[in-house]
Amino acid sequence: MTTFEDILEEAGKFGRCQMRIVSIFCLVSVPFSFVYVGIVFQGFTPEHWCHDPGVSEIRERCGWSLQDARKATVPLMNSSTGVTYSQCQKLDMDWNATGLTCDNPESELTQAQLSTLPMTVCSDGWEYDYEGRQSFVTEFDLVCEDAWYVDMFQAALGVGFLVGSIAIGYMADKYGRMKSFLMTNFFIGVTGILVATSPNYIALLVFRVLFGFGVKGGWMAGYVLITELVGVEYRRMVGVIYQMFFSLGILILPLLAYFIPNWRWLQVLFTIPYICFLTYYWFIPESPRWLLSQNKRNEAMEITKAIAKENKKTLSKIIEVQSLHSDDEHKIYSTSTASFMDLFRTSKLRKFTFILSFNWFTSAVVYQGLIMRLGILGGNVYVDFLISGIVELPAAFLILITIERIGRRLPFATANFVAGAACLITAFIPNSMFWLKSAVACVGRLGITMAFEMVVFVNTELYPTVIRNLGVSACSTLCDIGGIVAPFLLYRLAVIWLELPLIIFGALAFVAGGLVLLLPETKGVPLPETIDDIECPNRNKENQLKSQQLENLLPSDVTSNKEVTAV
């Protein structure tokens, strides 16, 4: 008698079929990264100051640049980043009556004189030093007292992730991984175009929520599907590769943003891949493991045969797979419909759910925070983003090396500790030591990237098949809550002190690392099929395998003796 892992032994644990499916599905991670951190470019806030009609008239007459006009007419003020030009107030004066000439604007009025003149609010809009480019910040004037609306753009995505991951996770466990994936991609295609054509900022936020609703759930359904199609020894590899394509997307994004400077067209580009993913209907089958958990034996057998055929393998025997005990104590777990309460049904599942949820939250807050921080540091955001993206690539290789030799738990915890330490150290390195500060920050980015990638497949390995997609989706809702919190935490606290968010990030990462040490090791452990496998992992295998799932998969003339069962 065998488990589903033995089915893959015959059909091929990672043959040509699985390679094809994993390769195709990895492409899903690329546009997901665009959506996840695209705010850095779509919502970039450039240098800005109050628009003054009088100054504009003089600038046009004299042929001054924006920088020349700012030096001559905008006072300096103290901020959390040092002394900068005033962004939210302008001088309350008639510039045509000042006698300002075109010859040498910098010598007309000194900063000492400007700082003593009366100030007023920006009643005529703003000037932006973002030539040839347009973000939704510049289009809707989301600066100064309206700057928090930018936070709402990313928070709206997090709300969509939160609701969508739960709803689509439940849908994927009830109706299938592929059906859910295809439905969400159609939904993403529609809502993505609506985001790009939003007539105002309120509509933009509404469509952004709907857009996020589909993106996260579809990505998670794809992740669960590919891990269910391969053998236990290949789970870590396909999981890491799936997420490595996310890092590849991080590298591609600044190049796309550089050549597509309009945020609306950038949004269209983010959406097009999801429309293309609808073609997966003809290339990728449903998860046989999920079909078996739903007692859809005939469909599962057909797909298993197709996988074996493509892998040039043959199913040569009747295979019986693991099922639940029939006694009343375990009947509650044999239902084919996953329930949210199953995640808290037993003490071990409650512990898993709490620890994994907190790690999802921490990974999201720290990862997003460090990326969005690039947009407020100044400098060339395209180059800085590209360099930080390159730092992510070694994460996948470090994970594969360490989890093969050490396991999951210690590398997972260490990655969090490294990220936390780097954030705390970076906060106290003076700006004059720029390269050291940048290097330590990159180490933190590498650490949190490893932690973020590991929480996904550890989450997948800890939950049984019947609630796996729901478990991953439910725990990852804390990631979505972290995504809602991160922009407010970064942008609002940075106004007080630019490095304050790093202190918070460091503390969260240290706590997350400590909690990871309480999880069991999953290296080399077969994927659990039932909740009973979680609570009783060492139960005698003969007592667990009382029924057969694959015996009935074969044609009736081959399996005429259906009374043959395990005892």
Side-chain angles (χ1 to χ4, degrees):
M1 301 184 67
T2 59
T3 67
F4 185 74
E5 301 300 333
D6 296 315
I7 301 176
L8 293 178
E9 185 72 43
E10 287 198 348
K13 291 186 175 183
F14 192 62
R16 179 179 177 181
C17 181
Q18 287 97 330
M19 290 180 186
R20 174 180 61 83
I21 293 173
V22 170
S23 298
I24 293 174
F25 248 113
C26 280
L27 298 177
V28 177
S29 290
V30 176
F32 181 51
S33 67
F34 299 165
V35 175
Y36 197 68
V37 296
I39 186 177
V40 174
F41 302 102
Q42 289 182 296
F44 180 68
T45 302
E47 287 289 330
H48 56 278
W49 56 94
C50 296
H51 172 74
D52 190 306
V55 174
S56 296
E57 182 180 335
I58 297 173
R59 184 168 66 86
E60 291 177 6
R61 185 176 70 245
C62 298
W64 293 347
S65 66
L66 282 174
Q67 294 296 334
D68 288 336
R70 182 173 68 167
K71 290 178 181 178
T73 62
V74 180
L76 293 172
M77 301 186 69
N78 291 319
S79 68
S80 61
T81 58
V83 178
T84 61
Y85 287 100
S86 175
Q87 296 181 329
C88 302
Q89 289 183 309
K90 65 178 180 178
L91 294 173
D92 188 11
M93 61 186 300
D94 181 6
W95 286 99
N96 291 319
T98 61
L100 192 65
T101 63
C102 299
D103 298 331
N104 189 9
E106 293 187 44
S107 65
E108 297 294 335
L109 292 171
T110 65
Q111 280 295 329
Q113 291 174 317
L114 291 176
S115 63
T116 61
L117 297 174
M119 305 286 287
T120 186
V121 296
C122 300
S123 56
D124 298 302
W126 283 264
E127 298 279 6
Y128 296 99
D129 187 14
Y130 197 38
E131 185 176 354
R133 302 185 180 277
Q134 185 181 55
S135 68
F136 64 79
V137 173
T138 62
E139 181 174 334
F140 298 116
D141 283 336
L142 303 180
V143 293
C144 297
E145 65 270 14
D146 291 331
W148 68 277
Y149 282 112
V150 181
D151 308 355
M152 289 297 297
F153 182 79
Q154 191 70 1
L157 182 71
V159 171
F161 281 177
L162 175 63
V163 179
S165 59
I166 296 176
I168 297 173
Y170 176 80
M171 188 167 64
D173 278 330
K174 186 171 184 179
Y175 301 108
R177 307 333 188 192
M178 276 307 296
K179 286 182 181 178
S180 300
F181 177 78
L182 294 171
M183 290 172 62
T184 55
N185 277 276
F186 176 78
F187 185 78
I188 293 166
V190 174
T191 55
I193 298 301
L194 290 175
V195 170
T197 57
S198 300
N200 54 63
Y201 195 66
I202 298 301
L204 175 62
L205 292 180
V206 173
F207 294 143
R208 176 79 166 172
V209 171
L210 297 176
F211 184 59
F213 179 89
V215 171
K216 176 71 176 294
W219 185 82
M220 295 304 301
Y223 183 91
V224 171
L225 175 62
I226 62 173
T227 56
E228 289 183 343
L229 283 174
V230 301
V232 58
E233 62 267 41
Y234 296 100
R235 293 193 321 246
R236 64 186 183 278
M237 182 183 69
V238 299
V240 171
I241 292 175
Y242 189 67
Q243 294 173 87
M244 189 169 66
F245 273 74
F246 183 96
S247 297
L248 179 62
I250 295 291
L251 291 177
I252 297 173
L253 179 57
L255 301 177
L256 296 177
Y258 182 80
F259 290 106
I260 304 177
N262 186 288
W263 73 272
R264 291 184 183 272
W265 284 109
L266 200 58
Q267 173 64 34
V268 171
L269 189 66
F270 293 174
T271 306
I272 289 175
Y274 290 101
I275 299 175
C276 296
F277 294 153
L278 292 173
T279 60
Y280 284 13
Y281 173 82
W282 290 280
F283 304 114
I284 298 179
E286 183 55 85
S287 166
R289 191 189 294 268
W290 175 82
L291 290 170
L292 289 173
S293 74
Q294 303 298 301
N295 293 320
K296 297 181 178 181
R297 296 180 174 86
N298 292 333
E299 296 176 50
M301 187 57 190
E302 291 302 315
I303 293 173
T304 304
K305 285 182 176 179
I307 292 174
K309 182 178 179 180
E310 187 173 345
N311 290 341
K312 302 186 184 304
K313 301 275 188 176
T314 302
L315 297 180
S316 59
K317 62 181 180 180
I318 298 174
I319 305 175
E320 298 172 335
V321 297
Q322 190 175 23
S323 64
L324 301 170
H325 288 281
S326 59
D327 55 274
D328 292 339
E329 180 181 0
H330 300 288
K331 281 181 180 178
I332 189 172
Y333 303 135
S334 64
T335 176
S336 62
T337 302
S339 166
F340 180 75
M341 292 308 298
D342 286 338
L343 302 178
F344 304 92
R345 186 78 64 183
T346 67
S347 60
K348 287 186 178 179
L349 284 176
R350 286 193 292 272
K351 181 175 76 172
F352 295 170
T353 301
F354 170 75
I355 294 176
L356 291 170
S357 295
F358 185 82
N359 270 270
W360 275 105
F361 175 83
T362 299
S363 295
V365 169
V366 179
Y367 184 82
Q368 286 194 57
L370 291 179
I371 290 182
M372 290 188 295
R373 186 170 177 268
L374 296 173
I376 63 175
L377 292 179
N380 190 316
V381 66
Y382 300 99
V383 174
D384 293 344
F385 198 95
L386 183 64
I387 293 174
S388 68
I390 293 174
V391 171
E392 288 194 12
L393 291 181
F397 299 103
L398 287 174
I399 289 173
L400 291 174
I401 293 172
T402 55
I403 64 176
E404 173 68 22
R405 294 165 173 76
I406 303 174
R408 275 65 159 156
R409 184 173 55 185
L410 288 179
F412 190 8
T414 301
N416 277 292
F417 291 143
V418 169
C423 286
L424 293 175
I425 294 171
T426 301
F428 295 101
I429 297 178
N431 291 330
S432 59
M433 304 175 68
F434 173 76
W435 290 109
L436 177 60
K437 193 179 185 76
S438 299
V440 176
C442 285
V443 172
R445 176 76 176 274
L446 175 63
I448 200 60
T449 299
M450 288 183 63
F452 213 161
E453 292 184 1
M454 293 191 71
V455 70
V456 182
F457 70 78
V458 169
N459 201 157
T460 303
E461 292 178 341
L462 286 174
Y463 284 107
T465 299
V466 291
I467 59 170
R468 182 170 298 119
N469 205 98
L470 179 62
V472 174
S473 297
C475 289
S476 69
T477 58
L478 269 292
C479 167
D480 307 326
I481 293 175
I484 297 172
V485 171
F488 294 100
L489 189 64
L490 174 71
Y491 296 132
R492 297 313 109 208
L493 292 183
V495 173
I496 301 172
W497 178 35
L498 187 61
E499 311 297 353
L500 182 57
L502 291 178
I503 305 297
I504 306 298
F505 298 161
L508 287 173
F510 268 109
V511 174
L515 290 174
V516 167
L517 296 176
L518 301 178
L519 292 174
E521 180 56 66
T522 57
K523 176 187 175 184
V525 179
L527 285 175
E529 301 289 344
T530 70
I531 294 178
D532 190 46
D533 294 342
I534 300 295
E535 292 302 304
C536 307
N538 298 320
R539 186 184 294 270
N540 189 298
K541 194 173 182 179
E542 291 296 325
N543 292 332
Q544 291 183 6
L545 308 178
K546 282 189 174 182
S547 65
Q548 29 185 336
Q549 290 179 332
L550 276 188
E551 180 185 28
N552 294 330
L553 292 178
L554 299 178
S556 58
D557 59 332
V558 177
T559 59
S560 57
N561 187 16
K562 290 188 179 181
E563 284 74 24
V564 180
T565 58
V567 290

